[in-house]
Each structure stands twice: as C-alpha cells, then as structure tokens.
Amino acid sequence: MYRTTDVATDRWGIKSLAPISDEQFELWQTLIEARTGMTIGAARRSFLETNLAIRMREIGLNDYEAYYEQLMAGPVAEREWAILVDRLTVQETSFFRHPSSFALVRQHISELMLRDPARKGVNLWSVGCSTGEEPYSLAMQTDVQLAELRRAKAYFGVTATDISLPTLGRARTGIYGDRRLHNVPSAWKEKYFKPVAGGRKEWQVTDELKRRVAFVQLNIMELDKAPLAGLDVIFCQNVLIYFRRFRKRDILTNLAVRLAPGGLLVVGLGEATDWAHPWLERVDYPDTMAFRRKS
Ligand SMILES: C[S@@+](CC[C@H](N)C(=O)[O-])C[C@H]1O[C@@H](n2cnc3c(N)ncnc32)[C@H](O)[C@@H]1O
C-alpha cells in the first residue's frame, strides 16, 4: 500500500521525497492547527517538511498523502500521531527558565501562607510542562519556601500537563545531564537529585520530589476535558507562542476560571497582551506578565 510517486534518488542512492506541494502544505497546516492549536506559518514550512520526511522515512513511506491518511484512521493512527506531535512541538525549556516569574510565584505563595495561618496547602499547575524542568523547579522552590515559612507540614502539589506523550515520559523519568542543572543552586541539587550510576554525569530527581509532581497528558485545545479547578498558581509560559490570537484568548479565559479566588496566572512576557478577564486583575511585578483572580 506504500506509494512510490514523487520519489527522487540522491547521490548515495537513498530515496528522498519531492518537496511538499502548496496544496499538501495547506492540508498539513490545517490538520496540525485543528488538533494542537499550533500554526505552522510559511517560515516554518521547511521545518514541517523535514520532520515529516524523517518520520516517513523511518516507517517506509514516501508519499505525504499516504502518511496523512495513516493519521486519519486505522489501528496505528493514534500511536503515529503521538510520535509526530512530539517531533513538531518545540520542547525547549530549562530549570528556573524565567527567574522573575519564579520570584513572583514565591512572593505570591508567601502572601497566601502568611495571610491564612490555617491554610492547608498550595496547588500549582504547569501548563505545557515539556520535559519536566518547569514543574520540578516549582516543586523545589515551594518545598524550600514552605520549610522557611515553618509550614513544612502544609501540602503542596504540582500538576504538570503537556500534549506530547514521549515528552511526558522523559519528564517522569526525571534524568538530566549535568549541564541542564546549571541553574539549580548546588544545595538544591544535593537535596533533590541523586547521581545516576554509570558515570555519565547524569542526575535523577529524587522520589520524594517526584511524588509532588503529577504528569498528565492534556491538550490545551481540550481544556474542557480537564477537571482541574481551584488552583493557587497556574504557570503557562512559552506554550501559546504559535497559537492564533483568538485561540490564545480562549485558552487564557479557560485557565482564568480554574484559579481559586486570589490565585495567580503567570504567562510568558507578551503572551497575553490585549487580553483581560473580569475576574482578574493585572499583577504589577517587574519583568513578568501575570494576573490575580480577585478574591
Ligand atoms: C517551548 S515548551 C515550553 C516549556 C515550559 N513551559 C517552559 O517555558 O520552559 C512548549 C511545550 O508546550 C507543549 N504544547 C504545545 N502545544 C500544546 C497543546 N496543544 N497542549 C498542551 N501542550 C502543548 C509542547 O509539547 C512543549 O512541551
């Protein structure tokens, strides 16, 4: 059932694909945007083409149309889609990636805990958590902070969601090379990571910290399926970059209503310009874009 149309042979005799046609490009753009919210503009055409070609070569297909059909239905469609989404999403991240946003979360949690000495705990959500650096950073910071506030017995948990299953698998494993940990203070590295045997200079998140973070697959285009509510912090950074304005606004509104009264929504700088919600007020904190739900 594999088609062999549009195939050229390169100088090593390896079959290579013909460039994607305008019509095919539009079909793929529409499919990807409908399912993930991500727009693939003309500037990222070659990114799409390359990733499709690599994947098609891996599974022995050399026809864009045949691959498209394979993703539409049939026994392998779901599995194959999960693999492709992983290839097409940008997973760039790091520990404590945007320090001002973390500083703001820290200030917010202090205020919550100090305002209410009987408060039982804090619930955080990392939306588009990628390979785990962001939710583990939130978990380390909150753990240290609650101890400093002498509220070490208070509960805290981070829900970490992403569309990509393979990415979530890496996040759950929680193994990072030495260089990826350069933003983690050394005392925290000692406390929350253990060296991986084998001398490859890799570190794994301790089971204790892992227990604080629940990784769940969730497409932000399908937030209505998520029973999450009453959150004290929603952290959504560098996820909505490739989304159209109207989608961004819908998603932000859907996140806003999941905050507890007084809860904080932190987004990436410039990711919520000209968006407002009647329940929220803008937080004035340097180098951040954040909103607080009115009490
Ligand atoms: C650039 S990373 C950002 C990671 C982290 N938030 C940070 O700022 O370092 C974007 C993440 O958003 C995820 N993502 C993209 N589209 C998504 C969608 N529709 N639903 C959920 N996650 C999505 C990607 O899989 C990727 O892991």
Side-chain angles (χ1 to χ4, degrees):
M1 103 133 239
Y2 300 148
R3 298 180 197 184
T4 49
T5 49
D6 295 342
V7 181
T9 304
D10 66 21
R11 64 196 168 102
W12 294 282
I14 298 169
K15 284 174 184 169
S16 56
L17 286 170
I20 197 165
S21 67
D22 290 350
E23 193 192 341
Q24 276 291 333
F25 179 55
E26 251 175 60
L27 262 177
W28 282 97
Q29 276 180 311
T30 309
L31 174 70
I32 292 159
E33 186 174 349
R35 288 193 182 181
T36 70
M38 283 185 302
T39 51
I40 310 252
R44 296 175 77 223
R45 182 174 176 143
S46 65
F47 162 83
L48 174 67
E49 205 171 41
T50 308
N51 280 289
L52 286 177
I54 292 171
R55 183 59 194 153
M56 285 159 66
R57 190 177 281 196
E58 284 169 3
I59 58 174
L61 283 185
N62 43 38
D63 182 314
Y64 294 109
E65 210 177 306
Y67 187 39
Y68 186 94
E69 277 166 23
Q70 196 173 95
L71 292 168
M72 287 297 112
V76 294
E78 205 173 313
R79 194 184 138 263
E80 188 50 43
W81 177 250
I83 295 170
L84 184 64
V85 163
D86 187 53
R87 305 280 173 94
L88 297 180
T89 44
V90 177
Q91 281 127 19
E92 187 192 335
T93 186
S94 57
F95 286 96
F96 302 101
R97 181 172 184 181
H98 187 243
S100 326
S101 297
F102 282 90
L104 172 59
V105 170
R106 194 180 147 80
Q107 175 184 291
H108 173 70
I109 291 180
S110 283
E111 282 169 11
L112 290 182
M113 299 309 286
L114 295 173
R115 195 182 309 139
D116 179 5
R119 179 178 256 276
K120 296 232 170 0
V122 197
N123 286 304
L124 303 95
W125 180 9
S126 159
V127 184
C129 65
S130 188
T131 38
E133 287 87 334
E134 181 178 283
Y136 288 133
S137 299
L138 288 167
M140 283 187 275
Q141 173 172 289
T142 309
D143 193 45
V144 168
Q145 186 180 11
L146 291 178
E148 283 171 5
L149 293 167
R150 299 184 190 283
R151 303 284 283 277
K153 294 234 164 66
Y155 164 83
F156 81 90
V158 184
T159 304
T161 59
D162 201 280
I163 193 174
S164 166
L165 268 179
T167 303
L168 287 168
R170 294 192 280 277
R172 280 190 195 104
T173 310
I175 294 181
Y176 304 96
D178 230 10
R179 281 171 48 196
R180 294 206 66 78
L181 295 184
H182 70 274
N183 280 344
V184 179
S186 48
W188 295 16
K189 185 173 163 187
E190 287 288 306
K191 184 169 182 197
Y192 298 109
F193 293 85
K194 53 192 181 199
V196 176
R200 290 182 55 198
K201 288 206 170 169
E202 285 181 326
W203 299 79
Q204 183 161 31
V205 176
T206 59
D207 291 343
E208 215 179 343
L209 192 71
K210 276 189 189 172
R211 276 196 287 276
R212 296 295 190 172
V213 185
F215 290 100
V216 184
Q217 188 191 27
L218 178 66
N219 182 348
I220 43 173
M221 295 279 283
E222 297 171 352
L223 278 176
D224 291 337
K225 288 185 185 167
L228 283 156
L231 287 138
D232 300 303
V233 176
I234 300 180
F235 207 80
C236 179
Q237 300 218 310
N238 306 302
V239 183
L240 301 174
I241 316 168
Y242 299 114
F243 284 55
R244 282 185 207 279
R245 228 167 96 198
F246 80 92
R247 282 198 214 283
K248 253 187 225 183
R249 298 166 72 92
D250 285 356
I251 290 167
L252 288 168
T253 299
N254 214 325
L255 293 177
V257 298
R258 286 147 199 278
L259 286 170
L264 182 75
L265 169 64
V266 189
V267 297
L269 281 179
E271 288 189 286
T273 39
D274 75 3
W275 173 78
H277 190 283
W279 294 4
L280 306 190
E281 60 200 0
R282 180 79 196 268
V283 176
D284 184 15
Y285 192 87
D287 191 36
T288 58
M289 183 158 262
F291 303 83
R292 185 175 287 113
R293 180 166 165 187
K294 298 170 195 164
S295 296

Short mmCIF file of all heavy atoms in Angstrom, two decimals, residues 220-274:
data_model
loop_
_atom_site.label_atom_id
_atom_site.label_comp_id
_atom_site.label_asym_id
_atom_site.label_seq_id
_atom_site.Cartn_x
_atom_site.Cartn_y
_atom_site.Cartn_z
N ILE A 220 -4.14 21.53 25.46
CA ILE A 220 -4.82 22.74 25.92
C ILE A 220 -5.97 23.17 25.00
O ILE A 220 -6.73 24.05 25.32
CB ILE A 220 -3.88 23.95 26.16
CG1 ILE A 220 -2.84 24.10 25.08
CG2 ILE A 220 -3.25 23.93 27.52
CD1 ILE A 220 -2.02 25.37 25.22
N MET A 221 -6.08 22.52 23.86
CA MET A 221 -7.24 22.76 22.99
C MET A 221 -8.46 22.03 23.55
O MET A 221 -9.57 22.23 23.09
CB MET A 221 -6.96 22.24 21.58
CG MET A 221 -5.85 22.93 20.87
SD MET A 221 -6.43 24.45 20.16
CE MET A 221 -7.30 23.79 18.74
N GLU A 222 -8.21 21.14 24.51
CA GLU A 222 -9.32 20.34 25.04
C GLU A 222 -9.42 20.53 26.55
O GLU A 222 -9.62 19.58 27.30
CB GLU A 222 -9.09 18.85 24.70
CG GLU A 222 -9.08 18.60 23.21
CD GLU A 222 -8.63 17.18 22.85
OE1 GLU A 222 -8.19 16.43 23.74
OE2 GLU A 222 -8.71 16.85 21.66
N LEU A 223 -9.25 21.76 27.00
CA LEU A 223 -9.24 22.02 28.44
C LEU A 223 -10.55 21.63 29.11
O LEU A 223 -10.58 21.33 30.31
CB LEU A 223 -8.96 23.51 28.70
CG LEU A 223 -7.48 23.93 28.66
CD1 LEU A 223 -7.35 25.42 28.84
CD2 LEU A 223 -6.67 23.20 29.71
N ASP A 224 -11.63 21.62 28.32
CA ASP A 224 -12.91 21.28 28.93
C ASP A 224 -12.94 19.86 29.47
O ASP A 224 -13.76 19.52 30.32
CB ASP A 224 -14.05 21.49 27.91
CG ASP A 224 -14.23 22.97 27.62
OD1 ASP A 224 -13.83 23.79 28.48
OD2 ASP A 224 -14.73 23.30 26.53
N LYS A 225 -12.02 19.02 28.96
CA LYS A 225 -11.98 17.63 29.45
C LYS A 225 -11.26 17.55 30.80
O LYS A 225 -11.21 16.49 31.42
CB LYS A 225 -11.19 16.76 28.46
CG LYS A 225 -11.90 16.49 27.17
CD LYS A 225 -11.07 15.53 26.35
CE LYS A 225 -11.68 15.31 24.97
NZ LYS A 225 -10.76 14.64 24.07
N ALA A 226 -10.61 18.66 31.21
CA ALA A 226 -9.76 18.59 32.41
C ALA A 226 -10.54 19.02 33.65
O ALA A 226 -11.09 20.13 33.68
CB ALA A 226 -8.55 19.49 32.23
N PRO A 227 -10.58 18.18 34.66
CA PRO A 227 -11.35 18.54 35.85
C PRO A 227 -10.58 19.45 36.81
O PRO A 227 -10.90 19.52 37.99
CB PRO A 227 -11.63 17.17 36.49
CG PRO A 227 -10.50 16.31 36.07
CD PRO A 227 -9.96 16.85 34.77
N LEU A 228 -9.54 20.15 36.33
CA LEU A 228 -8.72 20.97 37.22
C LEU A 228 -9.43 22.27 37.60
O LEU A 228 -9.95 22.97 36.74
CB LEU A 228 -7.41 21.31 36.53
CG LEU A 228 -6.38 20.18 36.49
CD1 LEU A 228 -5.42 20.38 35.33
CD2 LEU A 228 -5.63 20.12 37.80
N ALA A 229 -9.41 22.59 38.89
CA ALA A 229 -10.02 23.84 39.36
C ALA A 229 -9.43 24.19 40.71
O ALA A 229 -8.74 23.39 41.33
CB ALA A 229 -11.53 23.67 39.47
N GLY A 230 -9.70 25.40 41.16
CA GLY A 230 -9.25 25.83 42.49
C GLY A 230 -7.74 25.95 42.62
O GLY A 230 -7.18 25.72 43.69
N LEU A 231 -7.07 26.35 41.53
CA LEU A 231 -5.60 26.40 41.58
C LEU A 231 -5.09 27.71 42.18
O LEU A 231 -5.64 28.77 41.94
CB LEU A 231 -5.03 26.21 40.18
CG LEU A 231 -5.20 24.74 39.79
CD1 LEU A 231 -5.67 24.59 38.39
CD2 LEU A 231 -3.93 23.97 40.07
N ASP A 232 -4.03 27.60 42.97
CA ASP A 232 -3.42 28.79 43.57
C ASP A 232 -2.42 29.43 42.60
O ASP A 232 -2.20 30.63 42.67
CB ASP A 232 -2.71 28.41 44.87
CG ASP A 232 -3.68 27.80 45.86
OD1 ASP A 232 -4.68 28.48 46.18
OD2 ASP A 232 -3.49 26.64 46.28
N VAL A 233 -1.82 28.60 41.75
CA VAL A 233 -0.89 29.12 40.75
C VAL A 233 -1.08 28.36 39.44
O VAL A 233 -1.07 27.12 39.44
CB VAL A 233 0.59 28.93 41.20
CG1 VAL A 233 1.55 29.40 40.09
CG2 VAL A 233 0.90 29.68 42.49
N ILE A 234 -1.27 29.08 38.35
CA ILE A 234 -1.21 28.46 37.01
C ILE A 234 -0.05 29.10 36.28
O ILE A 234 0.01 30.34 36.14
CB ILE A 234 -2.53 28.64 36.23
CG1 ILE A 234 -3.70 28.01 36.99
CG2 ILE A 234 -2.40 28.00 34.84
CD1 ILE A 234 -5.06 28.15 36.28
N PHE A 235 0.88 28.28 35.84
CA PHE A 235 2.11 28.75 35.21
C PHE A 235 2.06 28.28 33.77
O PHE A 235 2.14 27.09 33.49
CB PHE A 235 3.27 28.08 35.97
CG PHE A 235 4.58 28.83 35.95
CD1 PHE A 235 4.80 29.90 36.80
CD2 PHE A 235 5.61 28.42 35.13
CE1 PHE A 235 6.02 30.56 36.83
CE2 PHE A 235 6.83 29.07 35.15
CZ PHE A 235 7.04 30.14 36.00
N CYS A 236 1.90 29.20 32.83
CA CYS A 236 1.75 28.82 31.41
C CYS A 236 2.69 29.69 30.58
O CYS A 236 2.33 30.80 30.20
CB CYS A 236 0.29 29.00 31.00
SG CYS A 236 0.00 28.59 29.27
N GLN A 237 3.88 29.19 30.34
CA GLN A 237 4.89 30.01 29.68
C GLN A 237 5.40 29.34 28.41
O GLN A 237 5.67 28.13 28.41
CB GLN A 237 6.07 30.23 30.62
CG GLN A 237 5.64 30.93 31.91
CD GLN A 237 6.67 31.91 32.41
OE1 GLN A 237 7.84 31.59 32.53
NE2 GLN A 237 6.25 33.12 32.69
N ASN A 238 5.55 30.14 27.37
CA ASN A 238 6.15 29.67 26.11
C ASN A 238 5.37 28.54 25.46
O ASN A 238 5.94 27.67 24.81
CB ASN A 238 7.61 29.24 26.34
CG ASN A 238 8.40 30.34 27.00
OD1 ASN A 238 8.50 31.43 26.48
ND2 ASN A 238 8.95 30.06 28.17
N VAL A 239 4.07 28.51 25.69
CA VAL A 239 3.23 27.47 25.10
C VAL A 239 2.34 28.07 24.02
O VAL A 239 2.11 27.45 22.98
CB VAL A 239 2.32 26.82 26.19
CG1 VAL A 239 1.51 25.69 25.59
CG2 VAL A 239 3.16 26.32 27.35
N LEU A 240 1.89 29.29 24.26
CA LEU A 240 0.90 29.87 23.35
C LEU A 240 1.55 30.64 22.20
O LEU A 240 0.85 31.25 21.40
CB LEU A 240 -0.03 30.80 24.14
CG LEU A 240 -0.79 30.11 25.28
CD1 LEU A 240 -1.56 31.12 26.11
CD2 LEU A 240 -1.75 29.06 24.73
N ILE A 241 2.87 30.57 22.10
CA ILE A 241 3.61 31.36 21.10
C ILE A 241 3.08 31.12 19.69
O ILE A 241 2.94 32.04 18.89
CB ILE A 241 5.11 31.00 21.10
CG1 ILE A 241 5.65 30.90 22.51
CG2 ILE A 241 5.91 32.00 20.27
CD1 ILE A 241 7.03 30.27 22.57
N TYR A 242 2.82 29.86 19.35
CA TYR A 242 2.44 29.54 17.97
C TYR A 242 0.93 29.50 17.77
O TYR A 242 0.44 28.98 16.78
CB TYR A 242 3.05 28.20 17.55
CG TYR A 242 4.56 28.21 17.59
CD1 TYR A 242 5.27 27.43 18.49
CD2 TYR A 242 5.29 29.02 16.72
CE1 TYR A 242 6.66 27.45 18.54
CE2 TYR A 242 6.67 29.07 16.77
CZ TYR A 242 7.35 28.28 17.67
OH TYR A 242 8.72 28.32 17.71
N PHE A 243 0.17 30.01 18.76
CA PHE A 243 -1.29 29.96 18.65
C PHE A 243 -1.84 31.27 18.09
O PHE A 243 -1.30 32.34 18.36
CB PHE A 243 -1.91 29.71 20.04
CG PHE A 243 -1.78 28.29 20.52
CD1 PHE A 243 -0.56 27.66 20.60
CD2 PHE A 243 -2.90 27.57 20.91
CE1 PHE A 243 -0.43 26.35 21.04
CE2 PHE A 243 -2.79 26.26 21.36
CZ PHE A 243 -1.57 25.66 21.42
N ARG A 244 -2.92 31.18 17.36
CA ARG A 244 -3.57 32.40 16.85
C ARG A 244 -4.18 33.17 18.02
O ARG A 244 -4.50 32.58 19.06
CB ARG A 244 -4.70 32.03 15.88
CG ARG A 244 -4.19 31.65 14.53
CD ARG A 244 -5.37 31.43 13.62
NE ARG A 244 -4.99 30.50 12.58
CZ ARG A 244 -4.31 30.84 11.48
NH1 ARG A 244 -3.99 32.09 11.28
NH2 ARG A 244 -3.99 29.92 10.59
N ARG A 245 -4.36 34.49 17.80
CA ARG A 245 -4.80 35.35 18.89
C ARG A 245 -6.11 34.90 19.52
O ARG A 245 -6.25 34.83 20.73
CB ARG A 245 -4.96 36.78 18.35
CG ARG A 245 -4.29 37.75 19.26
CD ARG A 245 -4.16 39.09 18.63
NE ARG A 245 -5.28 39.94 19.05
CZ ARG A 245 -5.63 41.04 18.38
NH1 ARG A 245 -4.98 41.38 17.30
NH2 ARG A 245 -6.62 41.77 18.79
N PHE A 246 -7.09 34.53 18.67
CA PHE A 246 -8.39 34.16 19.25
C PHE A 246 -8.29 32.89 20.08
O PHE A 246 -8.95 32.73 21.10
CB PHE A 246 -9.47 34.05 18.15
CG PHE A 246 -9.44 32.76 17.37
CD1 PHE A 246 -10.21 31.67 17.76
CD2 PHE A 246 -8.64 32.63 16.24
CE1 PHE A 246 -10.20 30.48 17.04
CE2 PHE A 246 -8.62 31.44 15.52
CZ PHE A 246 -9.39 30.36 15.92
N ARG A 247 -7.40 31.97 19.67
CA ARG A 247 -7.24 30.73 20.45
C ARG A 247 -6.57 31.03 21.79
O ARG A 247 -6.94 30.51 22.83
CB ARG A 247 -6.38 29.73 19.69
CG ARG A 247 -7.13 29.03 18.60
CD ARG A 247 -6.36 27.77 18.20
NE ARG A 247 -6.51 27.52 16.79
CZ ARG A 247 -7.58 27.00 16.24
NH1 ARG A 247 -8.62 26.66 16.98
NH2 ARG A 247 -7.65 26.80 14.94
N LYS A 248 -5.51 31.88 21.71
CA LYS A 248 -4.81 32.28 22.94
C LYS A 248 -5.81 32.82 23.95
O LYS A 248 -5.80 32.44 25.12
CB LYS A 248 -3.84 33.43 22.59
CG LYS A 248 -2.40 33.05 22.58
CD LYS A 248 -1.55 34.30 22.39
CE LYS A 248 -0.50 33.99 21.36
NZ LYS A 248 0.43 35.03 21.09
N ARG A 249 -6.66 33.71 23.47
CA ARG A 249 -7.61 34.37 24.36
C ARG A 249 -8.58 33.35 24.96
O ARG A 249 -8.88 33.39 26.15
CB ARG A 249 -8.38 35.45 23.61
CG ARG A 249 -7.47 36.55 23.06
CD ARG A 249 -8.19 37.41 22.05
NE ARG A 249 -9.17 38.25 22.71
CZ ARG A 249 -8.91 39.48 23.12
NH1 ARG A 249 -7.74 40.02 22.91
NH2 ARG A 249 -9.82 40.18 23.74
N ASP A 250 -9.06 32.42 24.13
CA ASP A 250 -9.99 31.39 24.63
C ASP A 250 -9.31 30.54 25.70
O ASP A 250 -9.90 30.20 26.72
CB ASP A 250 -10.42 30.46 23.49
CG ASP A 250 -11.43 31.13 22.57
OD1 ASP A 250 -11.83 32.27 22.89
OD2 ASP A 250 -11.79 30.52 21.55
N ILE A 251 -8.06 30.18 25.43
CA ILE A 251 -7.34 29.31 26.38
C ILE A 251 -7.08 30.06 27.69
O ILE A 251 -7.31 29.53 28.77
CB ILE A 251 -6.04 28.78 25.74
CG1 ILE A 251 -6.39 27.78 24.63
CG2 ILE A 251 -5.13 28.13 26.78
CD1 ILE A 251 -5.25 27.40 23.72
N LEU A 252 -6.65 31.32 27.57
CA LEU A 252 -6.40 32.10 28.79
C LEU A 252 -7.68 32.23 29.62
O LEU A 252 -7.66 32.10 30.85
CB LEU A 252 -5.85 33.48 28.42
CG LEU A 252 -4.41 33.48 27.88
CD1 LEU A 252 -4.06 34.83 27.27
CD2 LEU A 252 -3.41 33.12 28.98
N THR A 253 -8.80 32.44 28.93
CA THR A 253 -10.08 32.56 29.65
C THR A 253 -10.42 31.25 30.35
O THR A 253 -10.87 31.23 31.50
CB THR A 253 -11.18 32.96 28.66
OG1 THR A 253 -10.81 34.23 28.11
CG2 THR A 253 -12.54 33.05 29.30
N ASN A 254 -10.14 30.15 29.65
CA ASN A 254 -10.40 28.83 30.23
C ASN A 254 -9.48 28.54 31.41
O ASN A 254 -9.84 27.84 32.35
CB ASN A 254 -10.19 27.78 29.13
CG ASN A 254 -11.14 26.63 29.29
OD1 ASN A 254 -11.44 26.26 30.42
ND2 ASN A 254 -11.59 26.06 28.18
N LEU A 255 -8.27 29.09 31.38
CA LEU A 255 -7.36 28.92 32.53
C LEU A 255 -7.82 29.81 33.69
O LEU A 255 -7.81 29.39 34.84
CB LEU A 255 -5.92 29.28 32.13
CG LEU A 255 -5.23 28.36 31.13
CD1 LEU A 255 -3.84 28.89 30.77
CD2 LEU A 255 -5.10 26.93 31.67
N ALA A 256 -8.22 31.03 33.35
CA ALA A 256 -8.59 32.00 34.38
C ALA A 256 -9.67 31.46 35.32
O ALA A 256 -9.58 31.62 36.54
CB ALA A 256 -9.08 33.29 33.72
N VAL A 257 -10.66 30.77 34.75
CA VAL A 257 -11.78 30.32 35.58
C VAL A 257 -11.39 29.12 36.46
O VAL A 257 -12.16 28.69 37.30
CB VAL A 257 -13.02 29.97 34.73
CG1 VAL A 257 -13.51 31.20 33.98
CG2 VAL A 257 -12.73 28.83 33.74
N ARG A 258 -10.19 28.61 36.26
CA ARG A 258 -9.72 27.49 37.08
C ARG A 258 -8.90 27.94 38.28
O ARG A 258 -8.41 27.12 39.06
CB ARG A 258 -8.90 26.51 36.23
CG ARG A 258 -9.82 25.70 35.33
CD ARG A 258 -9.14 25.37 34.04
NE ARG A 258 -10.13 25.01 33.05
CZ ARG A 258 -10.67 23.80 32.95
NH1 ARG A 258 -10.31 22.84 33.78
NH2 ARG A 258 -11.57 23.55 32.04
N LEU A 259 -8.71 29.25 38.40
CA LEU A 259 -7.97 29.76 39.56
C LEU A 259 -8.87 29.80 40.78
O LEU A 259 -10.06 30.09 40.67
CB LEU A 259 -7.49 31.19 39.28
CG LEU A 259 -6.32 31.39 38.32
CD1 LEU A 259 -6.17 32.88 37.98
CD2 LEU A 259 -5.02 30.84 38.91
N ALA A 260 -8.29 29.55 41.93
CA ALA A 260 -9.01 29.78 43.18
C ALA A 260 -9.10 31.29 43.37
O ALA A 260 -8.26 32.03 42.83
CB ALA A 260 -8.22 29.16 44.33
N PRO A 261 -10.05 31.78 44.16
CA PRO A 261 -10.05 33.22 44.46
C PRO A 261 -8.68 33.60 45.03
O PRO A 261 -8.14 32.90 45.88
CB PRO A 261 -11.16 33.36 45.51
CG PRO A 261 -12.07 32.20 45.23
CD PRO A 261 -11.19 31.07 44.76
N GLY A 262 -8.11 34.67 44.51
CA GLY A 262 -6.77 35.09 44.96
C GLY A 262 -5.65 34.37 44.22
O GLY A 262 -4.47 34.67 44.42
N GLY A 263 -6.00 33.41 43.34
CA GLY A 263 -4.98 32.62 42.62
C GLY A 263 -4.26 33.43 41.55
O GLY A 263 -4.76 34.46 41.09
N LEU A 264 -3.08 32.94 41.15
CA LEU A 264 -2.19 33.68 40.25
C LEU A 264 -2.01 32.94 38.92
O LEU A 264 -1.71 31.75 38.90
CB LEU A 264 -0.82 33.81 40.95
CG LEU A 264 0.28 34.58 40.23
CD1 LEU A 264 0.00 36.09 40.32
CD2 LEU A 264 1.64 34.28 40.87
N LEU A 265 -2.19 33.67 37.82
CA LEU A 265 -1.92 33.13 36.48
C LEU A 265 -0.67 33.82 35.94
O LEU A 265 -0.65 35.04 35.80
CB LEU A 265 -3.12 33.40 35.56
CG LEU A 265 -2.92 33.13 34.07
CD1 LEU A 265 -2.67 31.65 33.78
CD2 LEU A 265 -4.16 33.59 33.27
N VAL A 266 0.38 33.03 35.67
CA VAL A 266 1.62 33.61 35.16
C VAL A 266 1.81 33.12 33.73
O VAL A 266 1.85 31.91 33.48
CB VAL A 266 2.84 33.16 36.00
CG1 VAL A 266 4.09 33.94 35.59
CG2 VAL A 266 2.59 33.33 37.48
N VAL A 267 1.93 34.06 32.79
CA VAL A 267 2.16 33.67 31.39
C VAL A 267 3.50 34.25 30.94
O VAL A 267 4.14 35.01 31.66
CB VAL A 267 1.00 34.13 30.47
CG1 VAL A 267 -0.30 33.49 30.86
CG2 VAL A 267 0.87 35.64 30.49
N GLY A 268 3.92 33.87 29.73
CA GLY A 268 5.17 34.41 29.22
C GLY A 268 5.01 35.88 28.86
O GLY A 268 3.91 36.34 28.55
N LEU A 269 6.11 36.61 28.90
CA LEU A 269 6.07 38.03 28.55
C LEU A 269 5.48 38.21 27.16
O LEU A 269 5.87 37.52 26.23
CB LEU A 269 7.49 38.60 28.55
CG LEU A 269 8.10 38.96 29.90
CD1 LEU A 269 9.50 39.49 29.70
CD2 LEU A 269 7.24 39.94 30.66
N GLY A 270 4.50 39.06 27.05
CA GLY A 270 3.90 39.34 25.74
C GLY A 270 2.94 38.27 25.26
O GLY A 270 2.43 38.34 24.15
N GLU A 271 2.64 37.29 26.10
CA GLU A 271 1.76 36.20 25.63
C GLU A 271 0.28 36.47 25.93
O GLU A 271 -0.56 35.67 25.57
CB GLU A 271 2.21 34.86 26.23
CG GLU A 271 3.51 34.37 25.60
CD GLU A 271 3.88 32.95 26.00
OE1 GLU A 271 4.32 32.76 27.15
OE2 GLU A 271 3.73 32.05 25.18
N ALA A 272 0.01 37.58 26.63
CA ALA A 272 -1.39 37.88 26.92
C ALA A 272 -1.67 39.37 26.73
O ALA A 272 -2.48 39.94 27.44
CB ALA A 272 -1.74 37.45 28.34
N THR A 273 -0.98 39.97 25.77
CA THR A 273 -1.24 41.40 25.54
C THR A 273 -2.66 41.52 24.99
O THR A 273 -3.15 40.63 24.32
CB THR A 273 -0.25 41.98 24.51
OG1 THR A 273 -0.05 40.99 23.50
CG2 THR A 273 1.09 42.33 25.11
N ASP A 274 -3.31 42.56 25.30
CA ASP A 274 -4.69 42.88 24.95
C ASP A 274 -5.69 41.79 25.33
O ASP A 274 -6.70 41.59 24.69
CB ASP A 274 -4.82 43.32 23.47
CG ASP A 274 -4.73 42.16 22.46
OD1 ASP A 274 -4.63 41.01 22.90
OD2 ASP A 274 -4.77 42.42 21.25
#
